[in-house]
Amino acid sequence: MALKNTFLFKILKYGSVVCGSPRSGRAATAAILGRSPFRYYYNNAGKPSSRGAGGTSHARVVDLRSDTVTKPGPAMRQAMAEAEVGDDVMGEDPTVNDLQQIAADLFGMEAAIFVPSGTMSNLIAVMVHCRERGDEMIVGDLSHLHIYEQGGSAQVSELHIPQKKKKKKSLILVKCVFIVMMQLAGVHSTTVTTLPDGTFDLKQLEAKIRHGYPDPHYPRSRLICVENTHNIQGGRVLPLPFLQEVRALADQYGVSLHMDGARLMNAAVAQEVPPSAILQHTHTVSVCLSKGLGSPVGTVLAGPRDFISKALRCRKALGGGMRQAGILAAAGKFSLENMIGRLVEDHRNAKTFALGEHRPPNVPNGCRSCPSSYLCSISLPALLDCKPPLFVVDVSAVETNILRFALQDSTMTPQEFCTRMSEVGEDEEAALGQGVQVLMYPHFGNSVRAVWHLGISAEDTRLAIQKMRFVASRYFTEIIK
């Protein structure tokens, strides 16, 4: 069928049509928050080239853009290469089955399913929990599910396909495509205010739950979604008492509680509890394997057995059924069995960058080429030690591997700071002993986001601190002139 149908063309080009008008995901995000979409880190495309001053290529790159940039190491690659595989759509891939069982046991859930991405996993959860078109979910206004997943839970295209005799095969194909799109998922969402620690005001949350069903004027409240750790709020860990109270509200009103636990393991490590201690307060969870846990791809969705059987159908409808997926699942198994304990290193490095590190006087500098003007043998200065003060950090908010900090000098924007950090400045190699490119993203609210992961060592963190202080020093020298 040729793409002459105007409505069909808009759907395939823009992804969604609301009242006949195309709406891009980026514009929708801007409309939701009332801010320019270019202030959000996903829109800052491109990795700067690793070139030093004068076009040389000797700069050390410290990539703090996201923990999604991790790459599998030799041991994980070996596990992938040696994985036993089968057809997972038929339920016959032993490595996928092992991963799903390991995850279910670790999370304290009845069952689990391996899916390609966190966005798909959250969408599947919404589709299963919100079983009827027009059901409603309650999410935080700064949640990843609400801001960065393209509103997939609400993207619906109802298009009547006339059953003409001619071009029958093409019409059937197009109809199949739109059957899938109509399953995405017809869910209405309402938001509660996300507090600085990632939680909600429980009275506001309760007020958002609809009580009038089956009154035809209102949607039916079906689902509450929480995010742990909270991305936009800087990797905040949801307190266990808060989760307990949210679950009590959910049970009281007969709604489900889903956790976007993309970085759940960071929360568990920070709270020094097993993941199941957190998840006992939720019905379902989505856990990403490709962030701090280091897998190249994949997410696990877990919950009751009946929920997972329905999730399997949704995964197939969304195109997430993979065949010999054991090669990828082997990486996920390796992550769950070997990579959780090391997350504490990422948390420590993030705190070091923000708050500093103190060492005994007899311990040598961590950086071999560090001039004494930038590091001393007693303490490692950090953001809060910058003189004169340039950065603002909420010390209590530095809990895991994500650091969000602000610039208090209005003449230095987050964009300019990130640009300076990513480039090798004049005289930098002479001052620091080498060129250093630190990659970060400007964030919303005049802030900068930096994320630590398995690719960033303690030495990388010290180099990033040196570069930060070098950039700050050069900046203050310029404005004084």
Side-chain angles (χ1 to χ4, degrees), residues 413-423 438 440-442 448:
T413 66
Q415 290 84 351
E416 181 183 355
F417 174 76
C418 290
T419 298
R420 287 176 179 244
M421 290 290 285
S422 68
E423 297 175 346
V438 181
M440 302 176 177
Y441 275 139
V448 175

Side-chain angles (χ1 to χ4, degrees), residues 103-104 107-113 118 120-131 137-138 145 222-228 238 243 246-247 250-251 255-262 264 275-276 278-288 299-312:
F107 304 156
M109 299 287 184
E110 290 182 359
I113 185 174
M120 180 182 288
S121 182
N122 282 330
L123 178 56
I124 290 172
V126 171
M127 291 172 69
V128 177
H129 283 300
C130 301
R131 300 179 291 276
M137 66 175 179
I138 304 171
L145 198 155
R222 286 281 198 182
L223 180 64
I224 299 170
C225 297
V226 294
E227 182 177 335
N228 195 18
L238 299 185
L243 291 174
V246 174
R247 176 61 183 266
D251 290 344
V255 300
S256 298
L257 176 57
H258 172 70
M259 177 178 288
D260 175 1
L264 171 71
S276 57
I278 299 173
L279 297 177
Q280 65 178 318
H281 305 301
T282 71
H283 294 97
T284 57
V285 65
S286 171
V287 179
C288 185
T299 290
V300 174
L301 176 64
R305 202 171 304 280
D306 180 62
F307 171 89
I308 294 300
S309 67
K310 295 173 182 175
L312 184 65

Side-chain angles (χ1 to χ4, degrees), residues 117-305:
S117 72
T119 296
M120 180 182 288
S121 182
N122 282 330
L123 178 56
I124 290 172
V126 171
M127 291 172 69
V128 177
H129 283 300
C130 301
R131 300 179 291 276
E132 298 177 13
R133 191 178 302 277
D135 282 348
E136 184 175 70
M137 66 175 179
I138 304 171
V139 297
D141 61 345
L142 295 181
S143 66
H144 193 281
L145 198 155
H146 182 60
I147 302 296
Y148 293 125
E149 297 182 14
Q150 209 181 100
S153 59
Q155 288 195 40
V156 184
S157 300
E158 297 191 44
L159 179 64
H160 176 66
I161 306 294
Q163 295 298 309
K164 296 181 180 179
K165 293 182 179 180
K166 295 182 180 180
K167 301 181 180 179
K168 185 176 181 180
K169 290 184 178 179
S170 297
L171 285 171
I172 291 174
L173 175 61
V174 173
K175 186 175 182 181
C176 288
V177 170
F178 278 91
I179 287 173
V180 172
M181 295 180 74
M182 285 188 287
Q183 289 182 286
L184 294 180
V187 177
H188 181 264
S189 64
T190 187
T191 61
V192 290
T193 302
T194 304
L195 300 178
D197 64 352
T199 65
F200 312 139
D201 178 87
L202 293 175
K203 291 183 179 179
Q204 183 189 26
L205 175 61
E206 185 174 15
K208 291 285 185 173
I209 299 175
R210 311 274 185 172
H211 307 299
Y213 185 84
D215 188 316
H217 296 89
Y218 307 108
R220 182 178 184 177
S221 296
R222 286 281 198 182
L223 180 64
I224 299 170
C225 297
V226 294
E227 182 177 335
N228 195 18
T229 64
H230 200 283
N231 181 357
I232 285 182
Q233 298 293 36
R236 299 304 299 269
V237 179
L238 299 185
L240 294 177
F242 166 75
L243 291 174
Q244 186 175 8
E245 291 180 289
V246 174
R247 176 61 183 266
L249 270 180
D251 290 344
Q252 179 181 347
Y253 293 105
V255 300
S256 298
L257 176 57
H258 172 70
M259 177 178 288
D260 175 1
R263 296 180 177 90
L264 171 71
M265 296 308 179
N266 293 90
V269 168
Q271 292 177 320
E272 298 182 333
V273 298
S276 57
I278 299 173
L279 297 177
Q280 65 178 318
H281 305 301
T282 71
H283 294 97
T284 57
V285 65
S286 171
V287 179
C288 185
L289 302 170
S290 62
K291 292 185 170 67
L293 296 181
S295 289
V297 66
T299 290
V300 174
L301 176 64
R305 202 171 304 280

Side-chain angles (χ1 to χ4, degrees), residues 6-40:
T6 303
F7 187 82
L8 175 58
F9 176 76
K10 288 180 179 180
I11 287 291
L12 297 180
K13 180 177 180 181
Y14 296 104
S16 64
V17 173
V18 181
C19 298
S21 302
R23 187 86 174 250
S24 72
R26 184 163 63 179
T29 298
I32 290 169
L33 293 178
R35 306 181 183 98
S36 167
F38 296 100
R39 293 186 63 82
Y40 298 92

Side-chain angles (χ1 to χ4, degrees), residues 92-115:
E92 298 174 357
D93 191 303
T95 309
V96 172
N97 293 338
D98 286 348
L99 168 64
Q100 292 171 166
Q101 189 59 57
I102 291 170
D105 293 342
L106 184 63
F107 304 156
M109 299 287 184
E110 290 182 359
I113 185 174
F114 182 52
V115 299

